[in-house]
Amino acid sequence: EEAFYLGYGRRWLNFGGGELYGGLNLKYLRSSFGSFPEAGNAVPSGGVVGGGQSDPLLSGRRSQSALDSDVGLLYRLGKHYGIGLDVMHANSPNVAYSGAEKDRLSPIVKLGFNYRSLLSNLAVEYDTQRAPAGTRDHSFTTAAERWFPKVFLGDFGLRGALSAGTRDYKQLSAGVSYRTRRLGADYAMSMPIGGPATTVAAHRVGLSFRFGRATEDEESLEMVLEAMKQFKSGQRVELRRKDAGASDALQRTLEELQSQARAQESHAKYAAALETLGRALTLAPADKTLVERYGRLSFISQQIREVPEYRTDPMQASLHLGIVSYLAGDGAKAVLKVSEAVALAPERKDLEGFLTQLEVATGVKRTVFGKVPDHQAAVALTKANSALEDGDYVTAVTESLNVLRVEPENAAAWENLGTAYFALKQFEDSLKAWNRAYQLEKSPAIRAAIKGYIKSISRAKEKHPAPSRALAPALPARPSLSPQEAASLFNRAIDHYTRREFTSAKELLERIVAADPENVEAQKALRRVREELP
């Protein structure tokens, strides 16, 4: 059996807040069989042995061909939803071997609905076609897919589906995929789990290769994104692809090992990150940046191998943020965050000892909190950092926005937003976020790096049109307040504060700071109110 396909699809029109796509397959189907003794010794009707007569079907044509077609529609609504309609064998081609017979392929109608995010896809599908006995067969399928992006390695995907229908039809399907910008490999297995007494699995393997070199724009976007991610981990890099004198293979290996170590650090697996970074150090023992980072990571992993519940436990979230800050070379923030962790869990003597050693290593004195600090932003920020390293940029945006609702001047959250929006090609939002991070940053060296990213984003914005649908929530527009309105809100906030109505005072002050981040009086008052909140 052979089938040759020619397919075409495109966006058709916009309506109802969504986009309608149309597609068509034209197919040439051919099947054939060879000669064998049974063709000349057919078993007559009601018999059990050959009657010496030729089989009227097998003695005729040994091959047949037909033209077939499929048509489909796809409607994308918003960022996440899609509805599809597909009609296979739309023209009911005749595939009979005998010219006097009719053996038409029955049209198969498929209606599907899916919910998709950047890395996941959930779908349900209904299929119907005419059964051999003249009735109709119906089946329902539920399916799920998840992608796991790995920097420099490619994307890995897992998927599975369960189908059930009339005539005891039940089938289980599963598959795995791997893809890079050029290469894609897919494997799928389907197995009936109802009906026949024995099960026979079907296996399918697909390999695809995309031709054409990457454009300079594509390579530039990849390099800028990787530089932004390394910036988040404290590595100051230039926007270039490789170090002078290093071979391509060695450089790719070093980049991959450092990327793996950075991901392990982001997921609070410090001992595993140390082992990975050690492998990179054996390839480049003279790299001063690697040596310095290895030393910092060794100091951490000797005392804390991992922090497994950093996404949910407030103390562990603050501790993890402190360790990440230390690895990035920010001693002041590291001591502050670990001080928060100690305040959240004063009974932990091991944390007290770690903070003491961190003070010695950084030369920064601890912060003593009069009351337990607010931990909401710390938990959200750890989730955003991990999502950013995993390539889950939509989650990184969502969690970073959650941080900024509590701490509007959190520079790390603005940096996360700038990086995630850039990866999603929402360049306007990325530019706003990095500009805000630039305003909040005090270090001249870091400001210089951010300034370079701002220039790169501006160039990308000019060359690449904005996506038709934003994958992540856009950066909310800054509310505007006149000086009179701001003064009125401030006075009302002070009144609430004097009456110890701290929540109301906090909400009013946050409105002022959101509209005017440079309002020093409102910032100071907001910090005081937050300290008073239980």
Side-chain angles (χ1 to χ4, degrees):
E1 293 186 355
E2 298 168 324
F4 299 89
Y5 287 68
L6 177 64
Y8 176 76
R10 60 165 295 170
R11 186 172 61 185
W12 195 358
L13 52 88
N14 297 340
F15 76 93
E19 299 173 324
L20 181 66
Y21 298 79
L24 172 70
N25 275 334
L26 296 178
K27 299 181 289 186
Y28 175 75
L29 308 179
R30 184 181 183 277
S31 61
S32 62
F33 59 89
S35 60
F36 41 93
E38 289 78 5
N41 187 25
V43 177
S45 176
V48 294
V49 297
Q53 298 178 343
S54 298
D55 186 293
L57 175 62
L58 301 182
S59 299
R61 292 191 304 176
R62 295 181 181 177
S63 66
Q64 65 81 27
S65 60
L67 293 177
D68 192 11
S69 62
D70 307 330
V71 294
L73 296 173
L74 176 64
Y75 183 63
R76 290 287 186 197
L77 181 62
K79 296 181 294 185
H80 301 296
Y81 301 98
I83 302 173
L85 174 67
D86 181 26
V87 181
M88 300 179 63
H89 313 310
N91 60 320
S92 298
N94 182 19
V95 294
Y97 283 95
S98 171
E101 300 291 334
K102 297 291 184 182
D103 183 11
R104 295 191 174 276
L105 294 179
S106 174
I108 303 173
V109 180
K110 299 184 177 185
L111 178 65
F113 171 82
N114 85 305
Y115 173 86
R116 62 172 182 167
S117 66
L118 190 65
L119 299 176
S120 302
N121 195 8
L122 300 176
V124 294
E125 182 178 290
Y126 164 72
D127 298 0
T128 181
Q129 69 179 120
R130 184 173 57 84
T135 59
R136 294 202 70 82
D137 283 341
H138 307 277
S139 65
F140 293 88
T141 300
T142 59
E145 176 186 63
R146 180 69 161 84
W147 284 94
F148 302 89
K150 298 295 181 183
V151 179
F152 299 116
L153 272 181
D155 298 342
F156 297 87
L158 297 176
R159 61 181 61 85
L162 180 63
S163 303
T166 53
R167 294 195 291 154
D168 294 327
Y169 169 74
K170 294 184 181 69
Q171 181 169 280
L172 179 67
S173 304
V176 296
S177 294
Y178 169 75
R179 68 185 181 191
T180 65
R181 190 179 63 218
R182 293 190 178 279
L183 180 68
D186 303 278
Y187 165 76
M189 180 273 292
S190 60
M191 176 180 291
I193 54 176
T198 59
T199 59
V200 179
H203 303 268
R204 297 182 180 182
V205 177
L207 183 67
S208 59
F209 187 83
R210 285 168 287 280
F211 295 92
R213 64 182 295 272
T215 66
E216 291 184 3
D217 285 346
E218 291 172 335
E219 292 181 343
S220 297
L221 293 178
E222 290 177 5
M223 286 190 289
V224 173
L225 178 59
E226 181 58 21
M228 288 178 179
K229 287 188 173 183
Q230 293 185 26
F231 168 86
K232 285 293 297 175
S233 64
Q235 303 175 53
R236 307 290 176 246
V237 295
E238 298 178 14
L239 300 182
R240 54 196 174 99
R241 180 162 295 280
K242 64 179 183 178
D243 295 331
S247 69
D248 288 342
L250 176 61
Q251 185 66 25
R252 283 195 296 269
T253 303
L254 283 172
E255 288 173 340
E256 177 55 35
L257 288 173
Q258 291 182 77
S259 176
Q260 288 180 16
R262 193 175 65 234
Q264 289 164 333
E265 292 171 8
S266 178
H267 289 81
K269 298 179 179 180
Y270 315 118
L274 181 68
E275 181 181 351
T276 302
L277 202 62
R279 301 208 313 266
L281 199 57
T282 59
L283 298 175
D287 190 315
K288 294 181 180 180
T289 303
L290 274 180
V291 172
E292 180 182 355
R293 192 167 187 83
Y294 185 85
R296 289 179 176 273
L297 197 52
S298 178
F299 167 75
I300 295 296
S301 62
Q302 287 175 7
Q303 303 169 77
I304 302 175
R305 295 183 60 83
E306 64 178 359
V307 182
E309 298 178 11
Y310 70 98
R311 291 175 182 260
T312 55
D313 182 82
M315 181 277 292
Q316 293 194 26
S318 295
L319 176 62
H320 176 52
L321 287 176
I323 291 174
V324 169
S325 298
Y326 173 74
L327 294 174
D330 191 342
K333 186 175 180 181
V335 173
L336 173 64
K337 289 300 179 182
V338 177
S339 298
E340 289 181 3
V342 171
L344 289 166
E347 73 283 358
R348 290 280 301 271
K349 301 303 180 184
D350 57 329
L351 289 183
E352 175 69 29
F354 174 63
L355 178 56
T356 300
Q357 293 190 47
L358 191 62
E359 288 179 292
V360 175
T362 61
V364 179
K365 294 299 182 182
R366 72 180 65 192
T367 300
V368 179
F369 293 92
K371 57 183 299 182
V372 176
D374 184 15
H375 58 265
Q376 181 181 352
V379 174
L381 188 58
T382 57
K383 292 179 180 178
N385 291 341
S386 297
L388 192 66
E389 195 59 47
D390 289 342
D392 187 357
Y393 302 114
V394 174
T395 299
V397 168
T398 302
E399 295 297 341
S400 296
L401 290 175
N402 290 337
V403 175
L404 294 175
R405 291 188 185 98
V406 181
E407 299 180 1
E409 296 186 1
N410 192 306
W414 286 108
E415 293 165 4
N416 282 346
L417 279 177
T419 304
Y421 278 135
F422 182 85
L424 296 170
K425 294 183 173 56
Q426 294 177 222
F427 299 125
E428 183 67 33
D429 290 321
S430 179
L431 201 57
K432 293 178 182 178
W434 277 114
N435 275 314
R436 186 63 184 132
Y438 182 82
Q439 295 170 3
L440 295 171
E441 186 54 57
K442 301 297 188 291
S443 167
I446 296 178
R447 284 170 65 90
I450 295 177
K451 195 172 183 179
Y453 303 148
I454 291 174
K455 290 181 179 177
S456 298
I457 298 167
S458 298
R459 288 194 295 267
K461 181 183 171 185
E462 294 173 359
K463 294 181 179 179
H464 300 272
S468 57
R469 294 187 308 274
L471 292 173
L475 195 61
R478 181 179 296 177
S480 59
L481 289 175
S482 67
Q484 294 79 12
E485 291 172 328
S488 175
L489 289 176
F490 187 83
N491 291 332
R492 288 168 54 193
I494 297 302
D495 291 339
H496 284 299
Y497 178 79
T498 57
R499 293 195 296 267
R500 304 190 66 79
E501 297 169 355
F502 300 126
T503 301
S504 298
K506 171 176 170 288
E507 292 175 354
L508 293 175
L509 291 169
E510 284 179 343
R511 286 178 59 188
I512 299 173
V513 172
D516 182 13
E518 307 301 327
N519 191 317
V520 178
E521 288 188 10
Q523 292 174 8
K524 290 180 179 179
L526 182 58
R527 284 195 292 269
R528 175 66 63 85
V529 169
R530 284 174 176 162
E531 291 175 358
E532 296 287 351
L533 283 170

